[in-house]
mmCIF file of all heavy atoms in Angstrom:
data_model
loop_
_atom_site.group_PDB
_atom_site.id
_atom_site.type_symbol
_atom_site.label_atom_id
_atom_site.label_comp_id
_atom_site.label_asym_id
_atom_site.label_seq_id
_atom_site.Cartn_x
_atom_site.Cartn_y
_atom_site.Cartn_z
ATOM 1 N N GLN A 795 36.052 -6.582 -18.625
ATOM 2 C CA GLN A 795 35.240 -7.032 -19.740
ATOM 3 C C GLN A 795 33.766 -6.931 -19.462
ATOM 4 O O GLN A 795 32.980 -6.434 -20.267
ATOM 5 C CB GLN A 795 35.618 -8.486 -20.119
ATOM 6 C CG GLN A 795 34.829 -8.958 -21.292
ATOM 7 C CD GLN A 795 35.187 -10.483 -21.626
ATOM 8 O OE1 GLN A 795 35.560 -11.179 -20.655
ATOM 9 N NE2 GLN A 795 35.048 -10.869 -22.853
ATOM 10 N N GLN A 796 33.314 -7.449 -18.296
ATOM 11 C CA GLN A 796 31.872 -7.416 -17.962
ATOM 12 C C GLN A 796 31.374 -6.053 -17.750
ATOM 13 O O GLN A 796 30.191 -5.737 -18.144
ATOM 14 C CB GLN A 796 31.667 -8.292 -16.701
ATOM 15 C CG GLN A 796 31.874 -9.819 -17.027
ATOM 16 C CD GLN A 796 31.285 -10.665 -15.910
ATOM 17 O OE1 GLN A 796 30.628 -10.191 -15.019
ATOM 18 N NE2 GLN A 796 31.473 -11.956 -16.035
ATOM 19 N N MET A 797 32.140 -5.154 -17.114
ATOM 20 C CA MET A 797 31.593 -3.775 -16.875
ATOM 21 C C MET A 797 31.396 -3.081 -18.199
ATOM 22 O O MET A 797 30.478 -2.225 -18.337
ATOM 23 C CB MET A 797 32.596 -3.032 -15.986
ATOM 24 C CG MET A 797 32.555 -3.444 -14.518
ATOM 25 S SD MET A 797 30.882 -3.293 -13.732
ATOM 26 C CE MET A 797 30.668 -1.510 -13.844
ATOM 27 N N LYS A 798 32.301 -3.249 -19.181
ATOM 28 C CA LYS A 798 32.082 -2.664 -20.502
ATOM 29 C C LYS A 798 30.761 -3.056 -21.101
ATOM 30 O O LYS A 798 29.967 -2.265 -21.664
ATOM 31 C CB LYS A 798 33.254 -3.016 -21.423
ATOM 32 C CG LYS A 798 34.533 -2.299 -21.075
ATOM 33 C CD LYS A 798 35.647 -2.715 -22.104
ATOM 34 C CE LYS A 798 36.938 -2.008 -21.776
ATOM 35 N NZ LYS A 798 38.053 -2.414 -22.699
ATOM 36 N N LEU A 799 30.437 -4.405 -20.953
ATOM 37 C CA LEU A 799 29.200 -4.939 -21.508
ATOM 38 C C LEU A 799 28.016 -4.414 -20.739
ATOM 39 O O LEU A 799 26.976 -4.026 -21.339
ATOM 40 C CB LEU A 799 29.276 -6.458 -21.484
ATOM 41 C CG LEU A 799 30.245 -7.122 -22.431
ATOM 42 C CD1 LEU A 799 30.310 -8.653 -22.188
ATOM 43 C CD2 LEU A 799 29.925 -6.803 -23.940
ATOM 44 N N LEU A 800 28.070 -4.448 -19.385
ATOM 45 C CA LEU A 800 26.983 -4.055 -18.585
ATOM 46 C C LEU A 800 26.629 -2.554 -18.728
ATOM 47 O O LEU A 800 25.484 -2.119 -18.839
ATOM 48 C CB LEU A 800 27.290 -4.319 -17.149
ATOM 49 C CG LEU A 800 27.224 -5.778 -16.702
ATOM 50 C CD1 LEU A 800 27.826 -5.984 -15.326
ATOM 51 C CD2 LEU A 800 25.749 -6.322 -16.756
ATOM 52 N N LEU A 801 27.675 -1.725 -18.868
ATOM 53 C CA LEU A 801 27.456 -0.325 -18.975
ATOM 54 C C LEU A 801 26.840 0.064 -20.385
ATOM 55 O O LEU A 801 26.207 1.129 -20.525
ATOM 56 C CB LEU A 801 28.733 0.490 -18.777
ATOM 57 C CG LEU A 801 29.269 0.462 -17.299
ATOM 58 C CD1 LEU A 801 30.636 1.159 -17.223
ATOM 59 C CD2 LEU A 801 28.249 1.174 -16.349
ATOM 60 N N ALA A 802 27.027 -0.822 -21.341
ATOM 61 C CA ALA A 802 26.492 -0.518 -22.646
ATOM 62 C C ALA A 802 25.096 -1.161 -22.808
ATOM 63 O O ALA A 802 24.410 -0.945 -23.836
ATOM 64 C CB ALA A 802 27.408 -1.118 -23.729
ATOM 65 N N ASP A 803 24.618 -1.910 -21.735
ATOM 66 C CA ASP A 803 23.372 -2.651 -21.904
ATOM 67 C C ASP A 803 22.223 -1.747 -21.435
ATOM 68 O O ASP A 803 22.262 -1.139 -20.397
ATOM 69 C CB ASP A 803 23.418 -3.881 -21.026
ATOM 70 C CG ASP A 803 22.141 -4.711 -21.122
ATOM 71 O OD1 ASP A 803 21.887 -5.358 -22.144
ATOM 72 O OD2 ASP A 803 21.321 -4.614 -20.210
ATOM 73 N N ALA A 804 21.197 -1.682 -22.297
ATOM 74 C CA ALA A 804 20.027 -0.811 -22.042
ATOM 75 C C ALA A 804 19.301 -1.247 -20.767
ATOM 76 O O ALA A 804 18.839 -0.450 -19.940
ATOM 77 C CB ALA A 804 19.080 -0.779 -23.192
ATOM 78 N N GLY A 805 19.195 -2.584 -20.595
ATOM 79 C CA GLY A 805 18.448 -3.086 -19.394
ATOM 80 C C GLY A 805 19.152 -2.690 -18.128
ATOM 81 O O GLY A 805 18.568 -2.364 -17.085
ATOM 82 N N ALA A 806 20.485 -2.739 -18.140
ATOM 83 C CA ALA A 806 21.278 -2.406 -16.946
ATOM 84 C C ALA A 806 21.136 -0.871 -16.670
ATOM 85 O O ALA A 806 21.040 -0.499 -15.536
ATOM 86 C CB ALA A 806 22.810 -2.715 -17.163
ATOM 87 N N ARG A 807 21.026 -0.068 -17.700
ATOM 88 C CA ARG A 807 20.844 1.349 -17.483
ATOM 89 C C ARG A 807 19.465 1.639 -16.878
ATOM 90 O O ARG A 807 19.341 2.515 -16.051
ATOM 91 C CB ARG A 807 20.978 2.107 -18.818
ATOM 92 C CG ARG A 807 22.376 2.123 -19.364
ATOM 93 C CD ARG A 807 22.565 3.270 -20.380
ATOM 94 N NE ARG A 807 21.615 3.131 -21.491
ATOM 95 C CZ ARG A 807 21.853 2.445 -22.571
ATOM 96 N NH1 ARG A 807 22.989 1.806 -22.783
ATOM 97 N NH2 ARG A 807 20.954 2.430 -23.606
ATOM 98 N N ARG A 808 18.470 0.843 -17.262
ATOM 99 C CA ARG A 808 17.099 1.032 -16.636
ATOM 100 C C ARG A 808 17.162 0.706 -15.247
ATOM 101 O O ARG A 808 16.465 1.343 -14.377
ATOM 102 C CB ARG A 808 16.067 0.274 -17.399
ATOM 103 C CG ARG A 808 15.702 0.815 -18.764
ATOM 104 C CD ARG A 808 14.386 0.236 -19.246
ATOM 105 N NE ARG A 808 14.565 -1.193 -19.523
ATOM 106 C CZ ARG A 808 14.946 -1.753 -20.643
ATOM 107 N NH1 ARG A 808 15.272 -0.909 -21.681
ATOM 108 N NH2 ARG A 808 15.063 -3.056 -20.896
ATOM 109 N N LEU A 809 17.901 -0.365 -14.813
ATOM 110 C CA LEU A 809 17.999 -0.721 -13.407
ATOM 111 C C LEU A 809 18.682 0.394 -12.641
ATOM 112 O O LEU A 809 18.473 0.556 -11.443
ATOM 113 C CB LEU A 809 18.801 -2.022 -13.261
ATOM 114 C CG LEU A 809 18.129 -3.257 -13.623
ATOM 115 C CD1 LEU A 809 19.000 -4.468 -13.515
ATOM 116 C CD2 LEU A 809 16.845 -3.455 -12.711
ATOM 117 N N GLU A 810 19.522 1.186 -13.280
ATOM 118 C CA GLU A 810 20.148 2.355 -12.623
ATOM 119 C C GLU A 810 19.176 3.471 -12.449
ATOM 120 O O GLU A 810 19.520 4.549 -11.871
ATOM 121 C CB GLU A 810 21.397 2.777 -13.379
ATOM 122 C CG GLU A 810 22.460 1.720 -13.559
ATOM 123 C CD GLU A 810 23.187 1.334 -12.254
ATOM 124 O OE1 GLU A 810 22.836 2.033 -11.216
ATOM 125 O OE2 GLU A 810 23.936 0.404 -12.269
ATOM 126 N N GLY A 811 18.044 3.436 -13.042
ATOM 127 C CA GLY A 811 17.083 4.485 -13.047
ATOM 128 C C GLY A 811 17.405 5.631 -14.020
ATOM 129 O O GLY A 811 16.825 6.677 -13.929
ATOM 130 N N LYS A 812 18.188 5.240 -15.065
ATOM 131 C CA LYS A 812 18.539 6.250 -16.070
ATOM 132 C C LYS A 812 17.607 6.123 -17.264
ATOM 133 O O LYS A 812 17.023 5.137 -17.515
ATOM 134 C CB LYS A 812 19.994 6.035 -16.534
ATOM 135 C CG LYS A 812 21.011 6.159 -15.420
ATOM 136 C CD LYS A 812 22.374 5.852 -15.948
ATOM 137 C CE LYS A 812 23.445 5.977 -14.860
ATOM 138 N NZ LYS A 812 24.786 5.683 -15.305
#
Side-chain angles (χ1 to χ4, degrees):
Q795 180 185 26
Q796 290 195 5
M797 285 303 295
K798 286 180 179 178
L799 293 173
L800 287 167
L801 291 174
D803 181 76
R807 290 200 303 272
R808 284 196 296 272
L809 285 177
E810 299 293 355
K812 300 177 181 178

